[in-house]
Amino acid sequence: MSDKQFDIARLVTDYRMMKAEIKRLQSIIYGFSIPMTNWGVAQYGLDAAMPKGSPGKSLAEMKQMDIREKKQRERLERMECIVFALESVFDILEDETCKTIYDCLLDGMTHRDIAAHLTTSKDFVRIKKQEIFRQISQNSQILTYLQKEKIAV
């Protein structure tokens, strides 16, 4: 298994932890959790033109944040990128079996659990998992999002 595939496997394993941590950090920073569909979404038409308050902190507040708060914000942004990338993988997977196995992996299921769910062997699941990681490691757009994780670590 290549280094990229190992990193992807680790990120897939950490997916559920990152989702929970994102929710916790958002509630600390913003006072509430933001649905993923609204992360970095641009508005159009009248919504874009109307004045509105920022859900985040103002520039003055950002300057006064302590080191811990700044690190929390950086971790939040990094984890949001990774989770977005991991959830975008469904768009590049070639067949439904791979999508099902990948979804089960994100849910934290073991090879044995997935094999039982699909009524197949653990070896079949392992081979398909390697194929999934190969497809991910060949997709430059997904890798771009995942590179943010390496920069910050």
Side-chain angles (χ1 to χ4, degrees):
M1 196 179 284
S2 72
D3 288 340
K4 283 183 190 176
Q5 288 178 334
F6 177 78
D7 290 344
I8 294 166
R10 184 180 56 81
L11 293 174
V12 168
T13 302
D14 291 347
Y15 169 80
R16 291 182 308 144
M17 176 277 303
M18 284 190 281
K19 287 282 283 194
E21 183 64 0
I22 286 170
K23 193 172 195 173
R24 184 185 78 85
L25 290 172
Q26 285 177 340
S27 66
I28 289 170
I29 294 169
Y30 303 123
F32 54 89
S33 180
I34 301 172
M36 187 175 149
T37 55
N38 294 339
W39 295 351
V41 175
Q43 293 183 335
Y44 299 96
L46 290 176
D47 287 338
M50 298 302 289
K52 58 194 123 328
S54 170
K57 298 185 183 256
S58 70
L59 185 58
E61 289 174 311
M62 292 288 282
K63 287 181 181 177
Q64 292 181 0
M65 287 172 63
D66 63 19
I67 294 170
R68 181 170 180 252
E69 289 175 311
K70 288 178 183 176
K71 293 293 183 187
Q72 286 175 332
R73 189 169 180 83
E74 290 170 6
R75 284 182 52 235
L76 173 62
E77 290 171 1
R78 186 179 79 242
M79 285 185 184
E80 285 175 340
C81 282
I82 294 167
V83 167
F84 178 78
L86 291 173
E87 291 185 358
S88 298
V89 167
F90 288 100
D91 297 334
I92 66 164
L93 294 177
E94 295 169 355
D95 64 31
E96 288 302 316
T97 305
C98 287
K99 290 178 182 183
T100 301
I101 290 172
Y102 183 70
D103 196 30
C104 291
L105 289 170
L106 290 180
D107 285 341
M109 293 174 69
T110 65
H111 289 185
R112 177 177 284 155
D113 295 336
I114 298 169
H117 173 66
L118 299 177
T119 60
T120 188
S121 71
K122 288 189 308 184
D123 288 334
F124 176 80
V125 172
R126 183 183 50 76
I127 290 167
K128 283 295 193 179
K129 179 181 172 183
Q130 289 174 345
E131 182 182 326
I132 291 166
F133 291 163
R134 180 189 52 75
Q135 288 178 37
I136 295 170
S137 65
Q138 291 176 350
N139 186 289
S140 61
Q141 187 175 9
I142 300 282
L143 289 177
T144 300
Y145 283 111
L146 295 178
Q147 290 304 323
K148 293 190 180 211
E149 184 265 345
K150 280 191 168 189
I151 293 168
V153 171

